[in-house]
Amino acid sequence: MGFDVLLKGSNMSRLLGGLGISLEISLISVVISIVLGVGVGMLMTVNNRAVKAVTRVYLEIVRIMPQMVLLFIVYFGATKAMGLNLSAEASAIIVFSFWGVAEMADLVRGSLLSIPVIQYESSKALGFSKLQTYIYIIIPQIVRRMIPLSINLITRMIKTTSLVMMIGIVEVLKVGQQIIEANRKSSPNAAFGVFATIFILYFLACWPISCLSKYLEKKWS
Amino acid sequence: MNFGVIAEYMPLYTEAFFLTIKIGWIGIAISFVLGIAVAFIMHFKIPVLSAISKAYIELFRNTPLLIQLFFLYFGLPKIGINISAEVCGALGLGLLGGSYMAETIRSGLDAVPKSQTESGKALGMKPLLIFKDIILPQAFATSVPGLLANIIFLLKETSVFSAISLMDLMFTAKDLIGLYYNTTECLVMLVIFYIIMLLPVSLIGSRVEKRVRYKMFGA
């Protein structure tokens, strides 16, 4: 079945190292996305035509452009159009953050809008200032809603970063291909074992995080 | 920007565009059928099948499509199962989408209050009739925005097909860039074709979402 290849030499640890690279890129992008996303999300609820128009276009771009296309635009397009020479890792982080910020901002906007208007009105009636309303009334409510969703964003980020292989980053899938190529003669069926293992590895990386997110969502709703 | 190049590449892109749309929508159709079946199995808690469905959903929701396709396309032939790239793309998308659709439909079914079933019973309706006339329409209404979001997500995921050398938009762009190095033109065309493919669905999605929100919150 081709699983034996993984036990030879340092193949398994190389594979795990490759997964580590994917996880590292996703983690950096998630942190950037959450920090900037909260800001952009709050900006989206501001009643200003220009801000609304810009954020809408931004959201729509992210919503309809496949991440792979964005990846190609930044990695190949930016180099040619602007003479920028970005490393593959840097372009991946830029693209996934660009995507993640929009996703996060949309979640923040959604949670802000899901707070009934009466909450704002009541706090106004009680004499809270706008800032106080946010700090004492709105934010505590949305944080509970946001945390499970942000954790969910991590798993989606991990799944999306599998695409970086297409711009030449040597991550788990690429390492897998190298292992298969190197052992073509000795174990011709390696492809099955290696890809099945990668499949399981991704599952093991994402599943616990999904479970945590689901658990928190249930607990706090 | 060289418009001669764009005109020259146009037929290649249109061909790839229709192939992408074809396989994308076949995959989406598979995902709907699979999703409805799995959601019903889980809603009615059919023993054994329900456990299998749960494992299926978790497995496919927590792995990327790229890995699933690699496994289907490069892994399975080694144990004697040969699938063509096109079938593989549609099947992979269908399997991935099925797990998302099932989750959306199931949460729609679960969101219908229990009192609805009980009221139906009190009115002397048969269980099948209650399900068909009372539960399903309400569940469908709450599921629609999620289903549309899934469709957009799946159409976007079709860009991954290029990895298993299916001649889709992404593959065509990559190929042409590699051959002639007209990077800007190729990327602009790629973006335009994806806009044509996805903008209408996305706009319909936002409209529907707004209407559902209006129905639920009145604002």
Side-chain angles (χ1 to χ4, degrees):
Chain A
M1 297 275 267
F3 285 102
D4 50 311
V5 175
L6 294 164
L7 301 174
K8 283 185 199 156
S10 59
N11 283 350
M12 194 64 202
S13 61
R14 277 181 66 207
L15 212 58
L16 289 173
L19 190 67
I21 290 176
S22 311
L23 294 181
E24 192 187 312
I25 293 173
S26 7
L27 212 64
I28 297 172
S29 312
V30 161
V31 171
I32 298 174
S33 305
I34 290 178
V35 173
L36 292 181
V38 170
V40 176
M42 289 174 92
L43 204 64
M44 276 170 162
T45 56
V46 173
N47 249 334
N48 178 314
R49 275 244 174 100
V51 172
K52 269 202 167 144
V54 172
T55 49
R56 256 214 83 175
V57 171
Y58 171 42
L59 267 195
E60 202 62 32
I61 291 173
V62 171
R63 201 169 159 183
I64 67 172
M65 270 306 127
Q67 289 88 341
M68 184 105 93
V69 176
L70 296 175
L71 213 53
F72 267 60
I73 291 175
V74 172
Y75 188 58
F76 296 114
T79 315
K80 187 138 195 228
M82 293 187 276
L84 272 174
N85 225 335
L86 290 168
S87 74
E89 281 85 357
S91 1
I93 291 172
I94 290 172
V95 167
F96 294 132
S97 305
F98 181 78
W99 169 71
V101 168
E103 290 282 329
M104 193 66 202
D106 203 30
L107 295 177
V108 172
R109 184 193 62 125
S111 332
L112 277 173
L113 288 181
S114 72
I115 305 284
V117 185
I118 204 163
Q119 299 273 341
Y120 294 89
E121 290 169 349
S122 315
S123 73
K124 209 174 188 181
L126 290 170
F128 282 88
S129 76
K130 204 147 197 182
L131 189 69
Q132 285 172 325
T133 310
Y134 271 98
I135 292 176
Y136 295 114
I137 296 172
I138 309 302
I139 290 177
Q141 292 189 64
I142 66 166
V143 161
R144 291 195 151 199
R145 238 175 266 235
M146 289 309 308
I147 288 176
L149 296 173
S150 330
I151 294 174
N152 211 12
L153 187 68
I154 302 176
T155 66
R156 291 171 57 204
M157 195 62 92
I158 293 174
K159 284 185 285 174
T160 315
T161 44
S162 64
L163 299 179
V164 296
M165 176 239 181
M166 305 295 284
I167 57 166
I169 295 181
V170 181
E171 44 72 82
V172 59
L173 204 52
K174 195 80 210 169
V175 173
Q177 281 181 326
Q178 288 169 352
I179 293 174
I180 293 165
E181 286 296 324
N183 298 287
R184 176 137 288 191
K185 286 257 171 61
S186 59
S187 50
N189 289 335
F192 181 81
V194 170
F195 289 135
T197 309
I198 296 174
F199 195 100
I200 303 294
L201 281 179
Y202 262 101
F203 177 71
L204 290 179
C206 292
W207 191 52
I209 307 176
S210 301
C211 287
L212 177 67
S213 146
K214 223 176 245 175
Y215 168 75
L216 289 178
E217 203 167 349
K218 221 173 239 169
K219 194 178 156 201
W220 283 341
S221 68
Chain B
M1 189 88 84
N2 185 345
F3 287 98
V5 172
I6 290 185
E8 196 185 317
Y9 293 167
M10 206 45 141
L12 287 172
Y13 268 90
T14 4
E15 201 182 315
F17 175 69
F18 285 116
L19 183 79
T20 311
I21 285 200
K22 190 182 91 188
I23 297 180
W25 282 99
I26 293 175
I28 289 169
I30 297 174
S31 75
F32 259 106
V33 174
L34 199 61
I36 290 171
V38 170
F40 280 11
I41 286 172
M42 290 185 66
H43 182 68
F44 292 113
K45 302 197 173 65
I46 300 170
V48 186
L49 282 181
S50 179
I52 295 172
S53 303
K54 201 154 180 237
Y56 156 70
I57 290 181
E58 293 298 337
L59 196 59
F60 277 83
R61 275 181 73 99
N62 286 307
T63 44
L65 180 61
L66 187 62
I67 311 295
Q68 295 165 11
L69 288 180
F70 262 70
F71 180 68
L72 288 177
Y73 190 64
F74 298 112
L76 286 186
K78 301 292 176 200
I79 54 165
I81 305 168
N82 275 303
I83 319 174
S84 77
E86 293 192 16
V87 176
C88 195
L91 195 67
L93 197 68
L95 282 171
L96 173 80
S99 64
Y100 280 83
M101 296 290 183
E103 197 66 355
T104 311
I105 298 169
R106 194 190 54 88
S107 65
L109 285 171
D110 289 351
V112 179
K114 219 176 160 206
S115 62
Q116 296 283 330
T117 318
E118 291 165 352
S119 312
K121 250 184 217 160
L123 290 171
M125 292 170 84
K126 290 205 175 73
L128 196 67
L129 201 63
I130 294 175
F131 187 70
K132 181 171 78 78
D133 284 355
I134 297 178
I135 309 298
L136 264 192
Q138 296 186 58
F140 184 68
T142 40
S143 304
V144 165
L147 293 176
L148 279 166
N150 287 347
I151 291 179
I152 295 173
F153 163 72
L154 291 174
L155 283 175
K156 272 165 72 176
E157 287 287 291
T158 56
S159 58
V160 176
F161 289 167
S162 58
I164 53 165
S165 42
L166 199 68
M167 305 273 277
D168 75 330
L169 282 172
M170 203 68 223
F171 187 90
T172 308
K174 209 169 66 180
D175 214 26
L176 288 172
I177 291 173
L179 279 174
Y180 305 113
Y181 206 53
N182 289 314
T183 316
T184 317
E185 288 83 358
C186 285
L187 288 177
V188 167
M189 285 175 82
L190 183 66
V191 167
I192 290 173
F193 273 102
Y194 270 112
I195 290 176
I196 297 173
M197 187 159 106
L198 280 149
L199 192 62
V201 189
S202 173
L203 289 179
I204 294 170
S206 330
R207 273 194 86 114
V208 170
E209 196 183 340
K210 229 173 238 167
R211 283 183 69 161
V212 170
R213 187 188 295 277
Y214 183 77
K215 247 182 157 171
M216 277 162 57
F217 297 114

